[in-house]
Amino acid sequence: TVELNMGLLPLEWLLGTWESDEPGEGCFPSIKPFRYMETLSFSHVGQPVINFMFNAFHAETKKPMHRECGFIRMQPGTNRVAFIIAQNSGLVEIEEGELTAQRLELQSQAVARTSFAKEPHVQQICRVFQLRPDGKLEQTVSMATDNKPPTQHLHIVYRRAF
Ligand code: HEM
């Protein structure tokens, strides 16, 4: 096992595998509310970078749904965090924000998509990761599209998987 890069110690609480504790809740003004399961994994190879994979599944059929993967970097000497993300929907994004205690609040800085991506297009994404006092991890995502203002899309709570 490789030692965690010193610069990433503030994010050590995120490392490992997380599984949805109960189904997450998806919503948006233009869609039917839905429930989903999700597994997150955060790992490293000693670089000043965390590698991550998020895999979502249908809560009842377990069919694979949304998937994301990417990298997390921190600006040395600051609490500034960047997520570099690729999504199976054809979206790529950079999100940046601040780490305060065990809470990460991120805002999309750049969003790009395949030329043939379905409409409406996402214009802006906000997400919050928070480690709760009970040891569970919570993720909330809101987004703005071509025709909807920033509105919550996802809320889910995870427990550590061993
Ligand atoms: C719908 C974006 C994560 C499941 C949508 C729509 C957008 C979107 C733009 C269409 C909204 C509309 O028609 O007005 C995103 C982004 C995500 C994300 C940017 C991550 C940052 C997820 C995750 C799931 C999910 C993790 C879990 C399964 C769905 C479902 C719909 C939907 C079921 C409705 C049906 C459909 O349009 O496919 N999402 N989504 N999304 N999303 Fe997400």
Side-chain angles (χ1 to χ4, degrees):
T1 63
V2 188
E3 224 172 285
L4 181 64
N5 192 281
M6 288 282 288
L8 290 177
L9 281 177
L11 285 175
E12 195 171 21
W13 54 275
L14 208 50
L15 291 173
T17 304
W18 299 87
E19 274 170 12
S20 42
D21 199 33
E22 42 190 82
E25 292 155 9
C27 55
F28 205 62
S30 41
I31 67 173
K32 206 174 110 212
F34 63 95
R35 283 150 45 95
Y36 67 104
M37 317 281 265
E38 193 173 40
T39 304
L40 312 185
S41 109
F42 298 91
S43 63
H44 73 95
V45 290
Q47 296 176 333
V49 180
I50 290 175
N51 310 295
F52 71 81
M53 285 195 309
F54 299 172
N55 295 323
F57 304 88
H58 191 278
E60 281 82 40
T61 66
K62 314 286 186 242
K63 213 181 105 184
M65 294 176 72
H66 193 87
R67 297 169 85 86
E68 305 178 40
C69 61
F71 306 96
I72 306 173
R73 306 187 60 106
M74 284 193 79
Q75 185 177 20
T78 73
N79 63 344
R80 189 129 200 102
V81 178
F83 276 52
I84 301 115
I85 310 173
Q87 305 193 7
N88 62 348
S89 54
L91 193 76
V92 295
E93 40 154 346
I94 303 286
E95 291 181 18
E96 289 190 21
E98 313 249 297
L99 173 68
T100 39
Q102 290 169 333
R103 176 186 165 92
L104 258 173
E105 202 168 328
L106 304 159
Q107 273 272 3
S108 56
Q109 302 298 314
V111 174
R113 60 184 62 79
T114 54
S115 58
F116 47 87
K118 263 198 311 198
E119 294 189 336
H121 291 165
V122 187
Q123 297 301 342
Q124 194 190 315
I125 299 164
C126 288
R127 56 175 118 194
V128 176
F129 288 96
Q130 178 151 27
L131 184 65
R132 305 196 317 196
D134 65 0
K136 289 181 182 174
L137 178 69
E138 197 170 346
Q139 182 181 191
T140 309
V141 175
S142 30
M143 66 179 175
T145 61
D146 295 330
N147 49 29
K148 295 281 178 288
T151 312
Q152 187 166 308
H153 182 37
L154 309 163
H155 178 256
I156 187 164
V157 177
Y158 314 87
R159 59 179 149 71
R160 271 196 187 280
F162 292 100

